[in-house]
Amino acid sequence: PEPPPGGAVVVVPNVSYETLCDCVDRLGATQVLTSPGIIGRLLSRLPADGPRFPALPGLRLAGGLVSPQMLRVLQRRLTPNLSFDYG
C-alpha cells in the first residue's frame, strides 16, 4: 500500500537494525536522523552487496564527525542519499 501523503516523526529510543528496517520498510519513513555512533554500531548488519535502502530520500547524521571512509561505506551499504551536520 502507498503511504499517506505528508510525513510522520517516529521516535525510536533504542535503535536496532531491525527497528531501522521496520521504520523505513513498513512505516515508509522518508527521512532518518541519527548519530554516526548509532549507525556505526549497525554497520555489521548491513548488506555488503549494495545499499539496504537505495530509495530512502534522506539519511542525516548529526552529533559527531563522520570519517571519509565511513561516509563511503554508508553510501555504498545503507543509502546514497546521505548527509551530515556537524557544528
Side-chain angles (χ1 to χ4, degrees):
E2 284 289 316
V9 175
V10 180
V11 178
V12 181
N14 297 308
V15 176
S16 67
Y17 180 73
E18 291 77 15
T19 306
L20 179 63
C21 291
D22 185 56
C23 286
V24 175
D25 296 337
R26 188 176 65 82
L27 298 177
T30 58
Q31 298 290 317
V32 173
L33 172 63
T34 190
S35 72
I38 290 172
I39 286 295
R41 291 195 313 260
L42 305 181
L43 279 177
S44 66
R45 302 286 307 275
L46 297 175
D49 59 348
R52 171 60 178 85
F53 306 113
L56 178 67
L59 173 70
R60 287 181 51 203
L61 300 177
L65 291 172
V66 179
S67 72
Q69 178 185 5
M70 184 176 184
L71 182 63
R72 287 189 298 272
V73 168
L74 291 173
Q75 287 175 320
R76 188 177 73 248
R77 295 177 59 193
L78 191 61
T79 181
N81 304 316
L82 182 65
S83 63
F84 62 95
D85 303 322
Y86 184 78

